[in-house]
Amino acid sequence: MDFLIPSTFAEALAIKAERPEVVPIAGGTDVMVELNFDHRRPTALLDLTRIAELTEWAPSENLLRVGAGVPYVRIIDELGDRLPGLAMASRTVGSPQIRNRGTVGGNLGAASPAGDTHPVLLACDAQVEVASVRGTRMIPAAEFYLGVKRNALEPDELIAAVHLAPAAAPQQFSKVGTRNAMVIAVCSFAVALHPEQGRVGAAVGSAAPTPRRALAAEEFLAGELSDAGLWESPKPLLDSVRRRFGELAAEAASPIDDVRGTAAYRRHALAVLARRTLGWAWQDYCGTGETRSQSCA
Amino acid sequence: MSKSAPVRTPTDLTSSVAGGIGASPQRPDGNLKVRGEFAYASDLWHEDMIWGATLRSPHPYARIRSIDITEALKVPGVYAVLTHSDVPGKNLYGLEHPDQPVLAVDVVRYQGEPVALVGADHPETARRAMERIAVDYEVLEPVVDMEDAAHGRGTPLHPGGNLVRHVPIRHGDQQVTAEVVVTGEYEVGMQDQAFLGPESGLAVPGEDGGIDLYVATQWLHVDQKQVAQALGLPLDKVRLTLSGVGGAFGGREDLSMQVHASLLALHTGKPVKMVYNRLESFYGHVHRHPAKLYYEHGADRDGRLVYVKCRIYLDGGAYASSTPAVVANAATLGVGPYDVPNATVDCWGVYTNNPPCGAMRGFGAVQAGFAYESQMDKLAAAVGLDPVEVRIRNAMHEGSLMPTGQVVDSAAPVAELLRRVKDKPLPPVNRTEPVDIREMPGGASNTTHGEGVVRGIGYAVGIKNVCFSEGYDDFSTARVRVQVIGGELSALAHTAACEVGQGLVTIMQQIVRTELGVERVTIAPMDTTIGNGGSTSASRQTYVTGGAVRSACQTVRGRLFELAARKLGVDAVGLSLHGGKLVSDLHGVLADLVDVLGDDVVDETVEWRHRATESLDPVTGQGNAHVQYGFAAHRAVVDVDVELGLVKVVELDCAQDVGKALNPEAVLGQIQGGSAQGLGLAVMEEIQTSGGKIRNPSFTDYLIPTVLDMPPMSIDVLELADPHAPYGIRGVGEPPTISSTPAIVAAIRAATGLALTRAPVRPEHITGT
């Protein structure tokens, strides 16, 4: 097996064009597990950790451009105020060691249905910047996930960055695992309020072959909020609205029974998570939210 | 040297050697382990070594039609590919019954059973060669139901059928009835020891045709015997040395790679290293027996027990391992630490095609403990008593009679332990202040800010036998040497008793310091050049090897006094050793031991036994089968998110009698660790199987508690000396594992009002989805 160490992104793209079968590696928190378990034997690894430009983030027009190699710990520490949803999801990733190494780019590359950041990227309308020697293109998160561990990358492409708008309103992320830290999601849920668009982004994770938006839940809530004029004069949401939102969110899932949980439990838990996270986000929007210290495991 | 007046009183001198018993000196290997510099067995290296790998069966039950190794042998870098026909000695091994092939012959009985071995220049070469071994299997329908297996239903997997052992216990009136009757059916899932250092070792072929094996194990001599038999070598040609052991908890009592690496080494003439990865480790060692338990408790209106009837099934999986002893434990301890005037107990251990199960911390007492403690809560509810009160009313005490007829002849402070955990202050319920989400059920995953969270409190107490039982000749061998090295007094302690992380090396040093007053104590590598040290299991090493080391020290001391008497011309009577000095009762300090010894070396080896036990009557289960009993009680406080079924154990306080805390810090460590392992079984740890196949052989899906799952503990350590045990000690390691699980599940029941008859409790058991 070759270990290729490009020092610029252009060099990395050239290698990927020439040898599309090479497996890119950044933090290695997914790739090394696969190698150790002998699930794959790539002919070459493409080490992206020496490429400085991948580990930078910066404002880009109205958005924030977060390099694919920015580790979770920096998203938490440096972007927690502007990307609260992504930071919340990042806090639930593995252990401190994993958060020091793992990256959003890696989460996207692996495209596991259980990846922690996916629901947030969907709820926040993130765009994935992918590049090849042929050029650069932007893929909306909603079009990025194609199947279990399959994404929209062409064989010669690498993930360069994700673009997200700085949060203008509250966002929440929540995930269920059968341990209180360092656990893979049994199911997860993200919600992001977009008052400027008069809508709410909502997405489920680990409860379908891909992470997916909960469109019916989004539409229902958008209608309820605008009908009652709640964006302009926020008031606490009715219990019935939160409940219905939860039910619709759960219906977005196509869960399976597996070793981590049953399909029925996942549906049930998603309804609870959606109801609760919406409640917290909306309370914050109303300015009545309580403060909770946000800490990692 | 002339006699001189005492410079210090003997009382002062007693405490002059630091780090004796009762102190908590640092582990000799502590700094290395904290720094990551300690060499574990997986770090072993030999210049010209090759790597061994094991081809395992993908099927729980299959006939092997043929094995073709031709293509594997063609892989460049492969030195050997071995099958059962290459086993020179007896191709069967086992702890109690040799029923397990070193390499499968014509049938495989569990998923992961070793079929062939490859020795190659690199682990990856070995893996590639393994893929080229063609095994033609005829897949058979696996036997997976333990109750069927116990009662003769289904395909027999071994010549004698599927029953490994049935232990009946008949105590008191078998026809007695009671006013209040509570019944229950319980299940305990298959727990894994989840030790962090995988199975590993290095086999080096000797010039004499023998083998030198460096390995992480729990019991060198039982390994030696089994390896020698499989290799067809005399015992003295199989030499074992303990390598760095990364945890054991019972999972290293059976062989893993020992014979395999040795076979490859003898066959290739090269040193062979084998290291399992995490996946292989889940297939490479035995687990805790999953259990199905049926209980009926009869009591009077005041909650006093009249009888207990129970049937316990333990699934031993494909091979016997230590199932017979686990069955005896579950049966003899099956009614718990209570005065039960009448008991009818039946326990069956069986063969199935599930993963083999054997020793794990708690060893049969864990499974029974979950059931009898669940029953005691049911009884409390039935008679309208507090759960602690009903336990105290029935609590066993010194002088109580076990269902086996054995009298409990040392402290059994069951009621006291329960009162202590009950009397501890309760944590406040905080539902208003902003709190750290990590203190909530779901922890860092941000699942609740207080919604759906209900508190519950639960209690449990447990009983465990200490040391080997049922007439087993259980002993340990210790050698202690005292000499002057570089002008300094120095002692060496040598045993074959395995340090697996529990701290025996520290305890041995402490005992030598106390007994001989020598501060500098070196622990020799543990190996088979000395006699059997017995197993590091059954909470027995401080008791038995500690007893042997103390006894060896006493012999050495006698020799030193003789030496002093001869050299100094004093009477050998009335002498003692303090802080490196020879002290006379009458005349105080006589001399420095350094001067007494000079160039002489005092070196003594002893074999030490605890008091003998008896076998159980095969029909009535009567007999003085156990050496000692240990007890612990827990109070668990939990917060349950009843909507999501997630649990946060808020407190897990414990009281335990340890007889005498030789190393108080280590005692607390054992209680914390044992409690954490019990917490794991209560809420997350289970090897899930389906049709005999393991569904979660990884730490991704076999979850063990993290620091956010395990609360800090308040621990009361009682020291009620056992007059039969060295220093009065009582084995510490296992009792806390027994009571922590039922206490936590009881607390979850209290929070949810659910029956919860299965451990571990999964979220869907709470949400009902």
Side-chain angles (χ1 to χ4, degrees), chain B residues 101-156:
Chain B
V102 172
L103 292 169
V105 182
D106 51 2
V107 64
V108 286
R109 297 184 179 87
Y110 72 97
Q111 182 196 25
E113 179 158 352
V115 175
L117 303 169
V118 175
D121 58 5
H122 190 278
E124 180 62 15
T125 312
R127 284 207 277 200
R128 287 178 190 206
M130 282 204 304
E131 286 171 5
R132 287 166 175 75
I133 299 173
V135 185
D136 184 10
Y137 292 104
E138 178 195 347
V139 177
L140 304 170
E141 187 62 34
V143 174
V144 293
D145 186 301
M146 61 179 107
E147 292 179 62
D148 283 350
H151 300 299
R153 299 184 291 265
T155 318

Side-chain angles (χ1 to χ4, degrees), chain B residues 446-694:
Chain B
N446 189 36
T447 48
T448 180
H449 297 175
E451 299 91 335
V453 178
V454 181
R455 177 149 295 179
I457 299 169
Y459 293 89
V461 61
I463 177 169
K464 177 68 183 50
N465 59 321
V466 174
C467 300
F468 278 29
S469 300
E470 294 188 85
Y472 189 88
D473 182 23
D474 192 17
F475 67 95
S476 185
T477 315
R479 172 177 160 233
V480 172
R481 181 170 67 186
V482 177
Q483 67 189 115
V484 177
I485 298 175
E488 212 182 313
L489 193 61
S490 176
L492 176 89
H494 184 198
T495 73
C498 295
E499 168 64 50
V500 303
Q502 83 278 32
L504 179 64
V505 286
T506 325
I507 291 289
M508 286 164 58
Q509 288 181 322
Q510 292 178 253
I511 290 173
V512 176
R513 289 187 189 119
T514 292
E515 294 298 332
L516 298 180
V518 177
E519 190 155 355
R520 196 167 77 178
V521 183
T522 306
I523 303 299
M526 290 148 171
D527 61 27
T528 52
T529 63
I530 186 167
N532 200 340
S535 179
T536 296
S537 61
S539 305
R540 67 178 279 290
Q541 284 298 20
T542 297
Y543 194 129
V544 188
T545 295
V549 170
R550 184 179 71 159
S551 173
C553 287
Q554 288 163 346
T555 309
V556 164
R557 199 164 53 205
R559 289 278 318 279
L560 287 170
F561 293 158
E562 287 167 18
L563 199 65
R566 206 168 63 234
K567 289 191 176 179
L568 304 177
V570 296
D571 194 346
V573 177
L575 297 178
S576 56
L577 298 170
H578 293 290
K581 295 190 191 312
L582 183 71
V583 181
S584 152
D585 287 352
L586 294 177
H587 306 291
V589 172
L590 297 180
D592 269 353
L593 206 46
V594 170
D595 299 324
V596 175
L597 267 169
D599 291 335
D600 284 327
V601 175
V602 176
D603 191 325
E604 291 292 333
T605 302
V606 303
E607 233 173 52
W608 190 86
R609 285 170 168 75
H610 58 66
R611 56 185 173 148
T613 57
E614 303 167 2
S615 55
L616 292 169
D617 182 283
V619 177
T620 62
Q622 299 298 296
N624 295 322
H626 296 313
V627 178
Q628 184 189 55
Y629 296 100
F631 306 89
H634 279 91
R635 181 184 70 193
V637 179
V638 304
D639 278 344
V640 183
D641 182 337
V642 296
E643 286 186 291
L644 288 174
L646 301 177
V647 176
K648 168 76 182 177
V649 179
V650 176
E651 280 194 359
L652 186 58
D653 292 344
C654 181
Q656 181 172 343
D657 172 31
V658 305
K660 162 77 183 167
L662 294 200
N663 184 320
E665 285 279 350
V667 162
L668 292 179
Q670 284 291 331
I671 295 172
Q672 288 158 347
S675 302
Q677 216 149 15
L679 181 151
L681 180 60
V683 294
M684 64 182 83
E685 288 193 44
E686 181 178 9
I687 292 186
Q688 300 181 46
T689 61
S690 172
K693 292 190 175 180
I694 298 179

Side-chain angles (χ1 to χ4, degrees), chain B residues 140-411:
Chain B
L140 304 170
E141 187 62 34
V143 174
V144 293
D145 186 301
M146 61 179 107
E147 292 179 62
D148 283 350
H151 300 299
R153 299 184 291 265
T155 318
L157 302 173
H158 290 271
N162 291 339
L163 178 62
V164 178
R165 189 178 183 191
H166 168 222
V167 171
I169 294 178
R170 303 289 178 261
H171 170 59
D173 182 353
Q174 299 297 297
Q175 262 67 51
V176 70
T177 56
E179 283 179 285
V180 180
V181 175
V182 290
T183 61
E185 294 181 25
Y186 304 94
E187 260 186 77
V188 177
M190 186 188 296
Q191 191 179 17
D192 189 66
Q193 297 84 356
F195 46 71
L196 295 187
E199 293 83 348
S200 41
L202 177 72
V204 184
E207 284 176 2
D208 61 347
I211 196 88
D212 288 284
L213 183 58
Y214 302 84
V215 67
T217 181
Q218 284 179 240
W219 191 356
L220 290 163
H221 282 78
V222 83
D223 283 8
Q224 181 192 34
K225 185 174 133 199
Q226 295 176 91
V227 173
Q229 281 177 355
L231 298 179
L233 289 173
L235 275 183
D236 62 356
K237 290 206 170 178
V238 176
R239 298 166 290 263
L240 277 78
T241 304
L242 187 70
S243 296
V245 185
F249 311 108
R252 292 185 211 271
E253 213 172 37
D254 293 77
L255 293 180
S256 57
M257 46 59 65
Q258 285 89 330
V259 182
H260 297 159
S262 303
L263 272 178
L264 284 167
L266 290 181
H267 201 88
T268 61
K270 285 184 160 297
V272 175
K273 177 170 174 170
M274 290 186 91
V275 181
Y276 292 178
N277 64 16
R278 183 58 55 190
L279 174 76
E280 186 169 18
S281 178
F282 272 100
Y283 296 104
H285 63 258
V286 298
H287 316 289
R288 186 191 300 291
H289 292 70
K292 189 84 207 273
L293 311 101
Y294 299 86
Y295 270 71
E296 180 180 318
H297 279 58
D300 66 19
R301 291 271 159 218
D302 297 330
R304 269 176 233 287
L305 287 170
V306 175
Y307 68 85
V308 175
K309 294 179 183 172
C310 63
R311 287 177 295 129
I312 302 170
Y313 296 91
L314 299 168
D315 187 346
Y319 295 102
S321 177
S322 48
T323 293
V326 175
V327 168
N329 270 18
T332 56
L333 308 171
V335 303
Y338 300 110
D339 278 333
V340 180
N342 308 289
T344 311
V345 179
D346 286 281
C347 182
W348 294 269
V350 298
Y351 289 124
T352 65
N353 294 115
N354 285 317
C357 289
M360 183 175 171
R361 194 180 205 166
F363 204 84
V366 163
Q367 295 90 331
F370 176 65
Y372 65 67
E373 284 302 88
S374 301
Q375 284 286 101
M376 292 308 281
D377 285 337
K378 268 196 178 183
L379 178 60
V383 296
L385 277 179
D386 176 85
V388 173
E389 179 54 32
V390 83
R391 286 172 169 85
I392 288 175
R393 276 190 196 179
N394 292 290
M396 163 182 288
H397 45 82
E398 184 167 356
S400 287
L401 204 61
M402 294 292 289
T404 55
Q406 183 166 20
V407 175
V408 177
D409 62 358
S410 70

Side-chain angles (χ1 to χ4, degrees), chain A residues 120-286:
Chain A
V120 174
L121 298 177
L122 287 167
C124 295
D125 305 316
Q127 304 260 327
V128 185
E129 179 189 332
V130 304
S132 70
V133 292
R134 297 175 289 115
T136 295
R137 64 182 178 123
M138 302 291 277
I139 307 174
E143 293 166 27
F144 187 79
Y145 309 104
L146 300 184
V148 176
K149 299 193 175 182
R150 283 194 302 118
N151 59 32
L153 284 183
E154 295 296 335
D156 63 344
E157 285 179 324
L158 292 173
I159 299 163
V162 288
H163 297 247
L164 298 100
Q171 303 175 343
Q172 281 287 341
F173 173 81
S174 182
K175 92 175 181 193
V176 167
T178 38
R179 179 162 71 185
N180 289 328
M182 282 181 64
V183 69
I184 293 190
V186 171
C187 60
S188 62
F189 187 79
V191 62
L193 306 187
H194 302 292
E196 72 292 352
Q197 302 172 45
R199 56 175 282 271
V200 168
V204 303
S206 205
T210 65
R212 52 166 78 148
R213 280 175 68 180
L215 286 169
E218 288 186 5
E219 282 163 21
F220 160 76
L221 191 58
E224 290 289 322
L225 294 174
S226 64
D227 289 354
L230 291 177
W231 288 113
E232 296 75 26
S233 43
K235 280 183 300 201
L237 289 176
L238 290 175
D239 243 16
S240 58
V241 171
R242 293 192 297 127
R243 267 180 202 287
R244 183 65 190 144
F245 177 75
E247 287 164 16
L248 290 168
E251 283 172 20
S254 327
I256 53 167
D257 288 337
D258 67 15
V259 75
R260 292 177 197 147
T262 62
Y265 174 76
R266 286 187 161 99
R267 271 203 197 87
H268 165 83
L270 276 173
V272 176
L273 293 185
R275 172 159 50 82
R276 288 184 184 173
T277 50
L278 172 63
W280 301 333
W282 190 258
Q283 263 191 334
D284 285 349
Y285 185 69
C286 296

